[in-house]
Each structure stands twice: as C-alpha cells, then as structure tokens.
Amino acid sequence: MPDETPDPYRVWLSEVMLQQTTVATVAPRFLAWVERWPDFASLASASDDDVMAAWAGLGYYARARNLVACAKVVVADHGGHFPATEAELRGLPGIGDYTAAAIAAIAFGQPATVVDANVERLVARLFRASGKGAVRVAAEAMTPTARAGDFAQAMMDLGSAICTPRKPRCLLCPLREDCAAFAAGDQEVFPVKPAKARKPQRYGTIFWAQAGEEVLLVRRPPKGLLGGMRALPTGPWGSEPPDIADAPLDADWTMLNSTVSHGFTHFDLQLALATARVERHAAGDDAIWWPVESLAEAGLPTVFAKAAKAIGGA
C-alpha cells in the first residue's frame, strides 16, 4: 500500500492558510503554492516579493512572512524536516498552540488536543461548557491517545458541516444523544462569548498617480500592518478624513466621488480616492512604476486591489 502519512509541510501550510479563510478560497491557492514551493527548502529560498504576491488576498500578511521565516529555521536547524512534538513546534516562527497541536496530531500522530473555532463550538455545546478554559479541559479529556489526527480532523469537520454557528444540523449529528446543549434546547447559546467592542472607524486617502500607462506603487514599511507589501500610496489613517494630506508628490489631484471600505481586526477603514496624471521623474529615482494592465500581478493587499478596481471603473 502507498504511504498515506500526511506530509507535515502540507499540513502546516493548509492550517495556516485556513485560519479565518474559507476552504473554497484556499483550495486553488494551496495547490498553486505547493506546485511552486513543494517543500521547506524551496520556500526558504523564495523571494519576499514572490511570497507576498502569492499570498495576496488571503489576509494577515504577517502569516506569509512567518511561513518563510519558519521554513528558513526548519532548513537551518532541523535538516529540512519539522520536529514532531508540540513543544518543539511551538518554538518555530508563527506557530502557536493550535497550529502546533494540529501538526503534531495530524502529521505525526501525537495525542495532541486540537481546538479551532469549530471544535470549540462543538465541545462547548456537547458539555454546555462556558469559557475557553472549560472547553479546553473538556476537549483534552476527549482526545484519544491513538489516531489523534483522525479524531482532530473528524471533530473539525463535524463542527464545520454539522455543528454550525447558526441552525446546527442536530438531527444528523452522531453525538446528538450525548449533547447537553441539544438536551437543553439551547445549542445556539454556546459557545458563550463576551460582547464585541465596537471597532473604531478610521479614514484615509489612496493616491493613484499615473504616468503614461504605469501607476506609482510604494513599499510599505517592513513592520506593522501590511508590512513589506507593495501598495498604492496612502496618507495617514486617522479619526478624520485627511483629504490629500501627505500625498506622495505634488500634483493636480482629483478626488473621486467613490470610496473604498475595508475591515481590519481592530478597526474599520474608509478610504477616499485621489487621482492625478504625473511625470515619472516627479516621484524620484527609487519609485516603483507598475504597468496598469498587469497590476493584478503586483500582489497588492486586498484593500489596495479594491481601490485599483474602483478607480479603473471610475
């Protein structure tokens, strides 16, 4: 029989890609990624620009940077292979408790307890458990010592397909008879979560400076939000609309009537759009000029891709 042991590299990559991103979105991106970078060694030697462009649209760009950083450590310190224990995995860049447990259980068969949002919801309902601590204790008590990877994937799939956040499909659930929340009729109350604080609203302006058939791009600072990514120039993001403050160069800017909105983890952002025709030399010798017709290949973060689409249709 062929070896059916999951490839740790692919387990790791899929788990990172699927964090807060749907399977439908991830599947084609995952296949393209592993065709281009099939192992730790190839990813460790990849350029930041290529990796960021391949990750564009999956959000949380620090994860992409951590993928490369982790691959480099695995190659340099572990001979190109993942260590098999949770403790060692947690010591690698970008790998937290959940990802370490998932890799240890699925790729190495270790009796690790994997708790993602789907498992948390399922266990909370099964035991009517309130709070992450109580859910964790219950999940650990359920985790078998044998075939922990199969158990983890079954729990995640059950939570995703059956024990859904709204209108769970309890009549199809194999755990229905043992579910405390089903017996009490309050499935949708669990998991109990604190009320979300309202996210602050921020405003900014995106600048579309076009010279001929090329548009000006910038490289965002390496640290911070969307760090190291190519992007359209933008002014400050603050509590009031900044108009054309901190425009990338002096020009006859035209403010469009449309705006672009985007939600980040800690705030919502609304961006005005300003356009101008400029001369290439006005931006300096180190400016990044990108052909408008191939802007999709620049790997712009989603918020800037939205702006480019809005401006193109204006």
Side-chain angles (χ1 to χ4, degrees), residues 76-292:
D77 297 347
H78 299 279
H81 301 282
F82 259 147
T85 67
E86 280 187 87
E88 290 176 295
L89 288 164
R90 281 195 296 267
L92 296 171
I95 296 184
D97 291 344
Y98 162 74
T99 307
I103 297 168
I106 298 170
F108 297 109
Q110 299 291 321
T113 301
V114 182
V115 182
D116 70 351
N118 291 314
V119 174
E120 178 186 359
R121 182 170 59 253
L122 175 61
V123 173
R125 290 170 176 171
L126 193 60
F127 295 95
R128 295 186 83 237
S130 298
K132 291 184 179 294
V135 169
R136 180 77 191 184
V137 169
E140 288 176 348
M142 293 178 65
T143 302
T145 56
R147 299 182 64 186
D150 291 340
F151 176 79
Q153 292 180 90
M155 291 286 283
M156 289 188 282
D157 288 345
L158 188 59
S160 175
I162 301 296
C163 196
T164 51
R166 295 179 181 84
K167 297 182 179 179
R169 305 167 70 187
C170 298
L171 295 181
L172 299 178
C173 182
L175 301 180
R176 181 182 68 246
E177 298 302 324
D178 297 311
C179 181
F182 175 77
D186 58 1
Q187 301 93 309
E188 294 195 42
V189 173
F190 294 89
V192 178
K193 295 184 177 180
K196 290 184 178 180
R198 184 176 179 180
K199 291 194 291 186
Q201 179 69 56
R202 294 185 185 176
Y203 302 88
T205 301
I206 283 180
F207 297 94
W208 180 279
Q210 187 167 340
E213 299 303 317
E214 297 179 317
V215 64
L216 177 64
L217 300 182
V218 297
R219 177 80 64 185
R220 292 184 63 81
K223 300 293 184 181
L225 198 61
L226 309 178
M229 301 289 291
R230 283 189 291 255
L232 293 166
T234 176
W237 296 350
S239 59
E240 299 293 335
D243 197 49
I244 60 169
D246 287 350
L249 43 80
D250 291 329
D252 185 14
W253 294 103
T254 298
M255 300 295 292
L256 303 185
N257 290 327
S258 58
T259 61
V260 169
S261 297
H262 191 74
F264 291 99
T265 304
H266 300 299
F267 64 92
D268 291 322
L269 180 64
Q270 180 175 301
L271 293 161
L273 306 174
T275 66
R277 288 279 180 173
V278 301
E279 299 294 332
R280 286 177 59 97
H281 64 78
D285 295 335
D286 59 349
I288 303 172
W289 291 100
W290 200 278
V292 174

